[in-house]
Amino acid sequence: QLQLQESGPGLVKPSETLSLTCTVSSGSISSSSSYWGWVRQPPGKGLEWIGNIYYSGSTSYNPSLKSRVTISVDTSKNQFSLKLSSVTAADTAVYYCARDRALYGAFTMDVWGKGTTVTVSS
Amino acid sequence: QSVLTQPPSASGTPGQRVTISCSGSSSNIGSYTVNWYQQLPGTAPKLLIYSNNQRPSGVPDRFSGSKSGTSASLAISGLQSEDEADYYCAAWHDNLNGWVFGGGTKLTVL
């Protein structure tokens, strides 16, 4: 059963860069039918898609975050990563990584990590 | 403000049937399939319905989904106390070239 696990600092200072890694286990990040993405959820609010990446390195980002986001992949470690620069308190959220897989002819975020809480504060 | 529109809350008594709506546009629901997620308190979202009306293995058949035009619905029949959770719809969005979500519906089992 594929599992995803987020890791990274739980506290980031304003104006600095948030860095998270998602480790994929019991499955290959190089699967041709999957993308790998990030979603966040501010406290008490809904879900916001950040972006995703294919194992080849091809990326897609939420336009509202595009200028500050970089998603990368390391196939040798079966990991993909998120960097969000110039963070503010508005970036405080639970960050989830998820697999975006082709199911029944369409893509679906079907497996999610448990999430990691990131607080932006000095 | 979310791209997809859901009612903020819904409620029902055990055994009842409830529906949750999700409204979008021709750029998202009108052109792509809809997925539904269940989020229990303090946990990650769990895929409940994909491709409008397909249930992943392990999801009870009490949960069903449908789509018509630029709107979709999630129906829960035989409501149970453990169904109390937040429910989100999601669809791909053309112009954004990414996923968009509804604002979420908090389901209360009375």
Side-chain angles (χ1 to χ4, degrees), chain A residues 43-81:
Chain A
K45 296 188 178 181
L47 303 168
E48 180 182 33
W49 181 75
I50 298 171
N52 65 16
I53 191 165
Y54 195 55
Y55 76 92
S56 64
S58 174
T59 56
S60 183
Y61 299 135
N62 186 324
S64 69
L65 299 169
K66 188 172 184 175
S67 63
R68 299 193 292 130
V69 172
T70 302
I71 297 176
S72 58
V73 64
D74 187 336
T75 55
S76 67
K77 294 182 179 179
N78 230 29
Q79 295 176 334
F80 61 105
S81 299

Side-chain angles (χ1 to χ4, degrees), chain B residues 7 23 36 93 95 100:
Chain B
S23 177
W36 289 91
H93 192 290
N95 299 342
V100 290

Side-chain angles (χ1 to χ4, degrees), chain A residues 39 41 45-49 52 60-61 63 96 100 103-104 106-110 112-114, chain B residues 33 35 37 39 43-45 47 50-51 53-54 88 92 95-103:
Chain A
V39 175
Q41 184 172 34
K45 296 188 178 181
L47 303 168
E48 180 182 33
W49 181 75
N52 65 16
S60 183
Y61 299 135
Y96 298 100
D100 202 345
L103 277 178
Y104 212 71
F107 277 89
T108 299
M109 288 184 286
D110 66 332
W112 295 59
K114 293 183 178 180
Chain B
T33 60
N35 303 323
Y37 297 90
Q39 187 176 34
T43 69
L47 181 63
Y50 66 95
S51 292
N53 54 20
Q54 302 299 304
Y88 294 90
W92 190 259
N95 299 342
L96 301 178
N97 196 30
W99 289 100
V100 290
F101 291 93

Side-chain angles (χ1 to χ4, degrees), chain B residues 45-100:
Chain B
K46 169 192 168 185
L47 181 63
L48 200 62
I49 296 287
Y50 66 95
S51 292
N52 302 328
N53 54 20
Q54 302 299 304
R55 283 186 308 276
S57 173
V59 173
D61 59 7
R62 302 186 296 106
F63 295 90
S64 62
S66 64
K67 173 186 141 177
S68 179
T70 59
S71 294
S73 290
L74 171 71
I76 309 172
S77 60
L79 198 62
Q80 299 180 4
S81 57
E82 55 260 41
D83 298 333
E84 194 160 279
D86 294 325
Y87 293 84
Y88 294 90
C89 58
W92 190 259
H93 192 290
D94 255 339
N95 299 342
L96 301 178
N97 196 30
W99 289 100
V100 290

Side-chain angles (χ1 to χ4, degrees), chain A residues 30-45:
Chain A
S30 300
S31 168
S32 61
S33 62
S34 299
Y35 284 73
W36 306 90
W38 291 95
V39 175
R40 70 179 183 178
Q41 184 172 34
K45 296 188 178 181

Side-chain angles (χ1 to χ4, degrees), chain A residues 8-12 18 20 91-95 116-120:
Chain A
L11 181 64
V12 181
L18 177 161
L20 297 175
D91 296 309
T92 293
V94 177
Y95 285 76
T116 188
T117 299
V118 178
T119 301
V120 178

